[in-house]
C-alpha cells in the first residue's frame, strides 16, 4: 500500500466512525457535547500517557473515555443545580478540563509528541509511519487498526441498541416509562463519543473530530426523513469529505485535517442550498411554481369572466393584465407562457382567449374558490 | 380494596421548595379521572413521579396493588405533546410502534405483527392514512392523536395522559373523549390532566384537584365543588365563580 492510499484509508475510517455516534448527538441536540468531549479527553490522555509512558495504548483510550464520561457527568451536575443551562455548563466544564490537559503536557510531557498543535489539528500525514508490527511483520498503520476497532464497537452498539437509541432520542420520557434506562444509554453513548474522539483525535486532532461528528449528520438530516438512511448518508458524506479533503490538501499543499474539515463544511452548505425538499433552492422553486399555478388560475378566471363581453377586447389584452391583476411584467409573461404551453389559452396578437380546456379549468377553479 | 392507582404521601421537590406535598390519590379501576389544577400545580410532576421518571422525596405508588416497576407493561403514558422533537426523522407509524417497544423488551425489533397493531390503533384515532407521513408534517391535533394511538397500541390497564386535548379542535376533542370513555367501559382506568374546567362534569366521572397538595379527589358530583375549586385556584375567585355560574 502506498502512503497516499493509507492516509486516505485512515481518513475515511476516521470520518465514518465519527459520523455514527454523531447522528445521535445531532438528533439529541447535543452537538456541542462533541466539542466538549473532544477537548476534555485531553487530561485523560495525558494522565494515561504519564502513567504508562506509551502513546496509543489501550489505557489511553480508556483514560480518554473516562475523561469524556466525567465531562458529561460534570455538565449534568452543573445543569441539575438549575443555576445555568446546559450550553453554559458545557462552556465551563470543557475549557477547565482542557486547560488541565494543556498544563499537564507543558509540565510533564513537553518533549514528546503530545504538543499543542498536534492536539488541535493532528497530523494525518505522519500516520503511516506509526506501524503495527507483530513479531517483525508489518500489518499496516497503527491508526488504521485502532480506528477500525473503534468503528466495529460503534457499529455493534448502534445495531444492538438501534430501537432503544431511537426511542430515547425521540422521547426520553416514554423510554424511561417503558423501562429502557435512558440515563444508562446516554452515558454509554457518551462513552462511545469519547472513545471515538480519542481514536480520531490522534489522527486528525480535536477540531476535526467536532467537524466530522457534527457536519455529516447535520447534512444528512437535510437530505432524508428517516433515521436509518440518515445514518448511511452521514457515513457516506463522512467518507466523501475524507477523500475530497485529502485531494484538496494534496493540490493546495495544505493540512489534510484542515482540508477535510473544510470539505464537511462545503458539503453541508451545498446541502443547505440544494437539498431536494428542505434546500433553499427547492423551497424557492416550489414556491415559484406554486405561484405560477396560481397565476394561471387567476389568468383563466379573469379571461372567463370577461369572455364574450363588450369590454373583452380591452380586458383580455396582454398589457392590460399587468394593470388589472397587478402583475409585474416578468410574472405576467411567465404565467401567459405557461398557460399557452398547457393550451389553456390562445393568443392572437396582443389579445388572449380561452381554449375549451382553459374554460374547464376556470370553471373548476371558481368552484374551488 | 384493590385500587388501580394508589399513591400515598407523595412528596417531590426539584429544589428546596416542594412541588408536590404529601399527596394521596386512590383511584378505583374503571374510572375516567380528571387531574385539575393551575399551571405549575404539579400535575405533570405527579404523573412523572408515579412512573419513576422523577425521583420522589417520599411516598409510594402502587398500580393494581404492585409497584410500577413490576407493572410497566400494564401502564401507558401520553406525555405532553411539546415534550418531544417533532422534527425527528421518522414517520407516524414508527412513532405509534414505539408504544410496543416495552412489550418487545431489549434488543428485539418490531416486525409485521407490531406494524399491524400500530395501524389498527391509528385507525382508532382516524389517522390510518397518515401512517407513512413524516411527523414534522402533522398539525398539533394530529400529533396529539398519534400520541394517543401510541398509548392505545399498548393495550394497557392504566393510562396516564398529560393534556391530551391541548391544541385540538372541538370535533377531535369529542372523538378523543369517546375513545377514553370506550376505554373506561372496557374496565380500564384513565387519568387525564385536563385544563378546561367547564367540560369536567361532562367528560369525567372522577376528579382530582391538585395544587401542590391534594385539595380533593373523588367522584365529580361530590368533589367538583365551588369551594374546592376556590381552594385550588386561590386568588382567581372571579374566574371560578363565573365558571360555577356557567355550570348552573
Ligand atoms: N425539571 C424541573 N426542574 C425544576 N423545576 C421544575 C422542573 N419541572 C417542573 N418544575 C417546577 O415544578 C412545578 C410543577 O411543575 P409541573 O410541570 O408538574 O406543573 P403542571 O401542573 O404540569 O403545570 P402545567 O399546567 O403548566 O403543565 C413548577 O413550579 C415547575 O416550575
Ligand atoms: Mg404539565
Amino acid at each position: 500500500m502506498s502512503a497516499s492510499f493509507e492516509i486516505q484509508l485512515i481518513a475515511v475510517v476516521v470520518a465514518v466512525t465519527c459520523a455514527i455516534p454523531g447522528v445521535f448527538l445531532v438528533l439529541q441536540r447535543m452537538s456541542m457535547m462533541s466539542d466538549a468531549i473532544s477537548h476534555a479527553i485531553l487530561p485523560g490522555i495525558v494522565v494515561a500517557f504519564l502513567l504508562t509512558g506509551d502513546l496509543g495504548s489501550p489505557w489511553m483510550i480508556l483514560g480518554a473515555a473516562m475523561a469524556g464520561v466525567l465531562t458529561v457527568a460534570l455538565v449534568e451536575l452543573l445543569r441539575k443545580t438549575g443555576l445555568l443551562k446546559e450550553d453554559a455548563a458545557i462552556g465551563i466544564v470543557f475549557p477547565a478540563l482542557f486547560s488541565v490537559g494543556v498544563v499537564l503536557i507543558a509540565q510533564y510531557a513537553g518533549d514528546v509528541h503530545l504538543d499543542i498543535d498536534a492536539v488541535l489539528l493532528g497530523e494525518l500525514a505522519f500516520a503511516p509511519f506509526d506501524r503495527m508490527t507483530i513479531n517483525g511483520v508489518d500489518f499496516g498503520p497503527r491508526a488504521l487498526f485502532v480506528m477500525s476497532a473503534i468503528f466495529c464497537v460503534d457499529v455493534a452498539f448502534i445495531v444492538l441498541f438501534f430501537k432503544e437509541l431511537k426511542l430515547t432520542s425521540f422521547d426520553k420520557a416514554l423510554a424511561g416509562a417503558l423501562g429502557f434506562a435512558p440515563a444508562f444509554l446516554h452515558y454509554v453513548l457518551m462513552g462511545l463519543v469519547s472513545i471515538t474522539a480519542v481514536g480520531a483525535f490522534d489522527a486528525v486532532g480535536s477540531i476535526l473530530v467536532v467537524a466530522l461528528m457534527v457536519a455529516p449528520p447535520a447534512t444528512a438530516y437535510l437530505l432524508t426523513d428517516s433515521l436509518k438512511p440518515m445514518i448511511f448518508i452521514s457515513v457516506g458524506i463522512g467518507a466523501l469529505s475524507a477523500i475530497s479533503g485529502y485531494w484538496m490538501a494534496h493540490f493546495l499543499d495544505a493540512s489534510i485535517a484542515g482540508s477535510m474539515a473544510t470539505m464537511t463544511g462545503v458539503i453541508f452548505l451545498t446541502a443547505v442550498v440544494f437539498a431536494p425538499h428542505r434546500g433553499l433552492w427547492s423551497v424557492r422553486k416550489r414556491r415559484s411554481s406554486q405561484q405560477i399555478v396560481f397565476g394561471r388560475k387567476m389568468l383563466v378566471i379573469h379571461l372567463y369572466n370577461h369572455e364574450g363581453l363588450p369590454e373583452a377586447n380591452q380586458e383580455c389584452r396582454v398589457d392590460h393584465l399587468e394593470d388589472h391583476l397587478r402583475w409585474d411584467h416578468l410574472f405576467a409573461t411567465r404565467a401567459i407562457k405557461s398557460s399557452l404551453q398547457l393550451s389553456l389559452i390562445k393568443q392572437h396578437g396582443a389579445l388572449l382567449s380561452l381554449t375549451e380546456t382553459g374554460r374547464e379549468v376556470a370553471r373548476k377553479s371558481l368552484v374551488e374558490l | 380494596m384493590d385500587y388501580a392507582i394508589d399513591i400515598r404521601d407523595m412528596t417531590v421537590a426539584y429544589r428546596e421548595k416542594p412541588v408536590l406535598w404529601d399527596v394521596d390519590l386512590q383511584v378505583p379501576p374503571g374510572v375516567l379521572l380528571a387531574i385539575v389544577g393551575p399551571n405549575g400545580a404539579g400535575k405533570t410532576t405527579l404523573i412523572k413521579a408515579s412512573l419513576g421518571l422523577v425521583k420522589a422525596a417520599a411516598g409510594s405508588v402502587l398500580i393494581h396493588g404492585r409497584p410500577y416497576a413490576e407493572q410497566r407493561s400494564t401502564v401507558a403514558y401520553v406525555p405532553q405533546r411539546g415534550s418531544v422533537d417533532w422534527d425527528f426523522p421518522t414517520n407516524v407509524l414508527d412513532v405509534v410502534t414505539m408504544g410496543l417497544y416495552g412489550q418487545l423488551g431489549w434488543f428485539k425489533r418490531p416486525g409485521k405483527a407490531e406494524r399491524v397493531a400500530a395501524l389498527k390503533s391509528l385507525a382508532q384515532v382516524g389517522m390510518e392514512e397518515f401512517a407513512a407521513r413524516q411527523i414534522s408534517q402533522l398539525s398539533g391535533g394530529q400529533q396529539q392523536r398519534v400520541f394517543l394511538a401510541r398509548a392505545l397500541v399498548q393495550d394497557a390497564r392504566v393510562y396516564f395522559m398529560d393534556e391530551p386535548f391541548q391544541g385540538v379542535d372541538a370535533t377531535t376533542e369529542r372523538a378523543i373523549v369517546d375513545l377514553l370513555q370506550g376505554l373506561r367501559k372496557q374496565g380500564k382506568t384513565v387519568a387525564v390532566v385536563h385544563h378546561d374546567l367547564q367540560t369536567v362534569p361532562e367528560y369525567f366521572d372522577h376528579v382530582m384537584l391538585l395544587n401542590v397538595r391534594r385539595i380533593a379527589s373523588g367522584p365529580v358530583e361530590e368533589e367538583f365543588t365551588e369551594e374546592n375549586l376556590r381552594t385550588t385556584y386561590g386568588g382567581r375567585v372571579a374566574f371560578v365563580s363565573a365558571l360555577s355560574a356557567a355550570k348552573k
Side-chain angles (χ1 to χ4, degrees):
Chain A
M1 280 196 286
S2 72
S4 148
F5 181 76
E6 280 181 355
I7 292 173
Q8 288 181 62
L9 198 60
I10 296 170
V12 167
V13 176
V14 167
V16 161
T17 310
C18 286
I20 293 172
V23 168
F24 293 94
L25 283 181
V26 167
L27 287 180
Q28 296 179 10
R29 319 226 149 182
M30 294 195 309
S31 309
M32 280 306 288
M33 209 51 133
S34 68
D35 199 9
I37 288 178
S38 68
H39 285 86
I41 54 180
L42 187 63
I45 293 176
V46 179
V47 169
F49 171 73
L50 292 175
L51 290 180
T52 64
D54 181 14
L55 266 180
S57 71
W59 292 111
M60 225 175 87
I61 293 185
L62 201 71
M66 276 163 53
V69 170
L70 178 70
T71 314
V72 179
L74 287 177
V75 168
E76 200 69 4
L77 201 71
L78 278 181
R79 200 182 52 83
K80 273 218 182 110
T81 63
L83 298 176
L84 30 77
K85 292 250 162 43
E86 181 158 46
D87 55 345
I90 289 175
I92 288 174
V93 170
F94 96 74
L97 288 175
F98 186 65
S99 56
V100 169
V102 171
V103 169
L104 283 177
I105 291 180
Q107 280 301 91
Y108 301 108
D111 47 337
V112 269
H113 157 71
L114 271 178
D115 62 76
I116 307 298
D117 273 355
V119 163
L120 288 176
L121 276 174
E123 206 26 279
L124 201 49
F126 298 138
F129 297 127
D130 186 6
R131 312 298 292 185
M132 178 92 154
T133 46
I134 298 172
N135 295 331
V137 184
D138 181 8
F139 282 87
R142 185 210 285 268
L144 189 57
F145 277 88
V146 173
M147 223 43 222
S148 301
I150 295 172
F151 172 77
C152 292
V153 173
D154 280 359
V155 169
F157 175 70
I158 303 292
V159 169
L160 223 53
F161 292 98
F162 183 74
K163 169 175 116 251
E164 290 76 11
L165 280 171
K166 178 158 78 176
L167 180 60
T168 38
S169 303
F170 175 63
D171 191 342
K172 212 159 142 200
L174 185 70
L178 294 178
F180 283 114
F184 165 75
L185 278 176
H186 179 67
Y187 276 99
V188 177
L189 180 65
M190 292 304 144
L192 275 195
V193 169
S194 312
I195 292 175
T196 308
V198 66
F201 169 90
D202 203 25
V204 297
S206 55
I207 292 178
L208 186 58
V209 171
V210 181
L212 288 178
M213 279 196 183
V214 175
T219 312
Y221 185 73
L222 295 172
L223 297 175
T224 175
D225 279 345
S226 68
L227 183 54
K228 267 187 205 154
M230 183 174 164
I231 295 174
F232 287 112
I233 295 174
S234 305
V235 163
I237 290 174
L240 185 66
S241 318
I243 294 174
S244 56
Y246 173 82
W247 288 105
M248 180 173 146
H250 181 82
F251 288 118
L252 299 181
D253 195 18
S255 139
I256 301 174
S259 306
M260 281 168 66
T262 310
M263 284 318 294
T264 61
V266 168
I267 295 173
F268 176 73
L269 280 181
T270 312
V272 166
V273 179
F274 295 108
H277 297 289
R278 312 224 174 105
L280 298 177
W281 172 262
S282 85
V283 167
R284 220 194 127 120
K285 222 171 69 188
R286 197 160 52 230
R287 198 169 297 149
S288 110
S289 83
Q290 282 163 351
Q291 274 171 358
I292 288 291
V293 171
F294 183 67
R296 281 202 308 263
K297 272 191 192 155
M298 275 175 80
L299 178 60
V300 291
I301 291 175
H302 176 77
L303 295 177
Y304 186 75
N305 284 341
H306 297 287
E307 202 171 36
L309 296 176
E311 77 270 16
N313 282 346
Q314 248 323 297
E315 290 286 340
C316 303
R317 292 173 63 86
V318 175
D319 45 5
H320 176 78
L321 287 176
E322 286 165 31
D323 301 340
H324 184 96
L325 298 175
R326 289 169 198 272
W327 286 354
D328 67 52
H329 181 67
L330 188 71
F331 187 71
T333 319
R334 283 171 64 200
I336 291 169
K337 198 168 145 225
S338 144
S339 307
L340 281 170
Q341 267 168 3
L342 292 171
S343 27
L344 300 176
I345 57 171
K346 287 179 298 214
Q347 183 168 15
H348 325 272
L351 214 58
L352 298 174
S353 66
L354 284 171
T355 63
E356 198 41 56
T357 338
R359 230 163 267 137
E360 196 52 40
V361 171
R363 270 183 225 119
K364 251 203 223 119
S365 310
L366 277 171
V367 175
E368 274 169 29
L369 291 177
Chain B
M1 161 133 196
D2 178 27
Y3 291 112
I5 305 170
D6 187 354
I7 300 175
R8 294 191 190 258
D9 311 325
M10 172 78 76
T11 297
V12 177
Y14 290 107
R15 312 234 192 109
E16 64 277 9
K17 200 164 150 261
V19 291
L20 287 178
W21 183 253
D22 206 17
V23 172
D24 284 291
L25 175 67
Q26 279 77 36
V27 187
V31 153
L32 188 46
L33 167 84
I35 301 174
V36 169
N39 290 129
K43 306 179 293 295
T44 300
T45 304
L46 179 68
I47 293 184
K48 286 195 165 168
S50 305
L51 303 180
L53 298 173
V54 163
K55 213 164 140 2
S60 69
V61 181
L62 297 178
I63 305 290
H64 283 289
R66 309 231 307 274
Y68 172 69
E70 295 171 24
Q71 294 281 38
R72 282 186 207 283
S73 59
T74 67
V75 178
Y77 168 44
V78 180
Q80 259 174 295
R81 174 159 55 84
S83 68
V84 305
D85 172 15
W86 289 95
D87 284 326
F88 195 84
T90 189
N91 64 26
V92 167
L93 187 66
D94 207 31
V95 170
V96 177
T97 312
M98 287 177 189
L100 293 166
Y101 283 10
Q103 288 159 35
L104 285 168
W106 289 88
F107 307 120
K108 204 156 166 272
R109 300 283 179 86
K112 184 138 188 274
E114 282 73 28
R115 270 198 302 280
V116 170
L119 274 172
K120 210 177 104 201
S121 58
L122 267 178
Q124 276 180 283
V125 299
M127 290 277 295
E128 65 270 50
E129 71 267 41
F130 290 87
R133 179 75 70 93
Q134 156 71 18
I135 57 169
S136 62
Q137 296 164 13
L138 296 174
S139 73
Q142 289 166 343
Q143 291 172 351
Q144 199 66 67
R145 282 191 279 166
V146 169
F147 260 16
L148 209 61
R150 187 176 74 173
L152 291 177
V153 79
Q154 282 184 262
D155 193 26
R157 287 175 83 188
V158 177
Y159 291 80
F160 287 97
M161 304 191 178
D162 206 342
E163 303 194 25
F165 301 115
Q166 186 196 33
V168 304
D169 63 24
T171 329
T172 311
E173 177 162 330
R174 193 63 246 174
I176 294 178
V177 169
D178 288 345
L179 258 169
L180 300 187
Q181 290 175 344
L183 287 175
R184 185 197 49 200
K185 285 203 192 88
Q186 294 168 36
K188 313 204 167 198
T189 310
V190 188
V192 178
V193 174
H194 190 58
H195 268 302
D196 182 6
L197 295 178
Q198 314 238 14
T199 51
V200 168
E202 185 192 345
Y203 294 170
F204 297 92
D205 43 17
H206 274 55
V207 66
M208 174 196 204
L209 294 151
L210 179 72
N211 192 351
V212 183
R213 296 155 191 273
R214 183 199 66 179
I215 310 300
S217 71
V220 169
E221 53 286 2
E222 287 166 30
E223 303 297 344
F224 196 65
T225 60
E226 189 176 333
E227 196 198 332
N228 281 341
L229 283 170
R230 219 180 271 278
T231 322
T232 312
Y233 285 85
R236 290 188 274 173
V237 182
F239 156 69
V240 172
S241 39
L243 178 92
S244 53
K247 249 171 78 180
K248 281 157 202 158

